[in-house]
Amino acid sequence: MAAALGGLGLLHGRVRLAAAAAATCSLGRPGRRAPVRGGAAVALPSAGRSYGSEAKEEEELRVRYLDDEHKGIVVLGLNRSHAKNALNKNLLKMMSKAVDALKSDKKVRTVIFRSEVPGIFCAGADLKERAKMHSSEVSSFVSKARATINEMANLPVPTIAAIDGAALGGGLELALACDIRVAASSAKMGLVETKLAIIPGAGGTQRLPRTIGVSLAKELIFSARIVDGKEAKSIGLISHVVEQNEAGDAAYRRALALAREFLPQGPVAMRVAKLAINQGMEVDLVTGLAIEEACYAQTIPTKDRIEGLLAFKEKRPPRYKGE
């Protein structure tokens, strides 16, 4: 039974059945692994395996599987310094391939999205590339960006956005797709698309209201306002704000420390908990409780649960295998 949790496909089906049953009873209410040695919290990332068919002097996306005390943490580093990490066709392609590999790798426990370019997280869509596109290509590009960011949001493991610089437009939409956001106090964030007479098209109009509330989200989008890390924390846009350091990676270091807090927990439980929360937030409470019940049932027969109970009895740290 636990083996069927590989991609959580069976559980997704049971969650849908639970939601349907609850709705009926509620009075009609609606990878391959590429290890890279090192990865200490105090070290800046080194180049790891990158995804993409084009060989470039500068890898636009760096993928690092950390080791030692950080084993299980994967860092995706945006690295288009010449374009302020703006999202172009190639970068989206590389991100999609990386995410596709990660979602089926059971050894992955947490994913951190960060920038390897000082002072910037992601400036949004690459407008220089877009200016060269035919009008018919623009719609396809935006659809690809939306789909890629959705794939990130649906990764079965916890995801953390480490915002050490500006996250504007599509950059903030990318961060909003992560489970948790950490930012330096000096970082700048905003959905600024209305300045260009367009609207956020990669999930911003949906995820921002769900994060900070409808009225405030409308205010920020209508005004194209940019907020710093401290204001972002005060309105609930980010979970943690830290003072920037000389290396310019304070948010990344905080994200790494947070990810380490997740590592000791049961891997299957973490994946199922994320599914229960994500699915439950989109339905009424009765349906949500049914989803939780279906998800909880999937943790009972796992070897992880047996190990957890045994470790508790023997007063030792558990040794989970993700089964």
Side-chain angles (χ1 to χ4, degrees):
M1 195 172 190
L5 279 172
L8 293 182
L10 175 60
L11 181 51
H12 275 284
R14 292 185 177 182
V15 165
R16 286 193 294 269
L17 288 174
T24 302
C25 298
S26 60
L27 301 180
R29 279 182 292 181
R32 182 176 298 174
R33 192 162 176 265
V36 175
R37 299 293 171 183
V42 297
L44 288 173
S46 59
R49 176 177 177 176
S50 66
Y51 293 83
S53 59
E54 298 179 350
K56 297 192 173 185
E57 291 182 5
E58 178 185 61
E59 297 168 325
E60 294 190 341
L61 182 69
R62 292 179 176 174
V63 182
R64 292 194 303 134
Y65 287 75
L66 304 190
D67 217 331
D68 300 325
E69 71 270 29
H70 300 111
K71 188 174 183 180
I73 300 173
V74 179
V75 180
L76 298 187
L78 303 176
N79 191 43
R80 295 192 73 214
S81 60
H82 63 284
K84 298 182 178 180
N85 288 339
L87 302 172
N88 65 347
K89 291 180 180 179
N90 186 61
L91 182 55
L92 288 174
K93 179 181 178 181
M94 296 170 77
M95 289 170 58
S96 181
K97 287 185 177 181
V99 169
D100 189 59
L102 293 174
K103 68 183 180 183
S104 59
D105 189 341
K106 294 182 181 179
K107 295 181 180 179
V108 176
R109 304 290 299 280
T110 300
V111 177
I112 298 175
F113 290 89
R114 67 163 301 192
S115 167
E116 299 194 7
V117 180
I120 192 75
F121 177 74
C122 175
D126 189 330
L127 298 182
K128 290 183 178 180
E129 181 185 71
R130 182 179 294 189
K132 299 176 183 178
M133 293 181 188
H134 187 272
S135 57
S136 61
E137 292 181 280
V138 174
S139 178
S140 176
F141 173 81
V142 174
S143 294
K144 177 61 177 177
R146 185 184 303 114
T148 300
I149 290 176
N150 280 339
E151 289 170 6
M152 287 172 36
N154 291 325
L155 275 170
V157 297
T159 55
I160 307 172
I163 308 171
D164 274 305
L168 305 175
L172 181 55
E173 289 178 301
L174 188 157
L176 283 166
C178 293
D179 298 314
I180 300 165
R181 285 162 296 285
V182 180
S185 58
S186 58
K188 305 296 182 183
M189 289 156 270
L191 295 179
V192 297
E193 286 85 350
T194 53
K195 284 186 176 181
L196 301 175
I198 56 176
I199 69 170
T205 64
Q206 302 306 304
R207 291 194 175 94
L208 187 62
R210 285 169 166 79
T211 302
I212 65 174
V214 174
S215 182
L216 187 53
K218 287 179 177 177
E219 180 180 330
L220 293 185
I221 291 173
F222 294 166
S223 65
R225 185 182 306 156
I226 296 174
V227 300
D228 62 19
K230 291 182 179 179
E231 185 175 357
K233 176 65 170 65
S234 71
I235 64 177
L237 178 56
I238 62 175
S239 300
H240 303 274
V241 60
V242 291
E243 293 297 322
Q244 190 55 281
N245 56 27
E246 292 185 6
D249 66 349
Y252 169 62
R253 296 188 187 197
R254 181 67 183 92
L256 197 58
L258 188 60
R260 287 186 63 182
E261 290 185 44
F262 301 160
L263 292 180
Q265 320 315 327
V268 174
M270 295 289 281
R271 290 170 178 249
V272 174
K274 178 171 178 174
L275 176 63
I277 295 169
N278 285 355
Q279 296 288 331
M281 288 303 295
E282 302 301 321
V283 298
D284 61 89
L285 180 59
V286 172
T287 307
L289 290 171
I291 290 172
E292 179 184 78
E293 182 179 6
C295 290
Y296 183 87
Q298 295 302 305
T299 65
I300 293 176
T302 64
K303 293 180 181 179
D304 276 356
R305 180 175 181 271
I306 296 171
E307 166 61 16
L309 293 174
L310 186 61
F312 178 79
K313 180 180 179 180
E314 297 176 354
K315 298 181 180 180
R316 61 169 175 79
R319 294 183 289 271
Y320 294 123
K321 297 181 179 180
E323 301 175 343

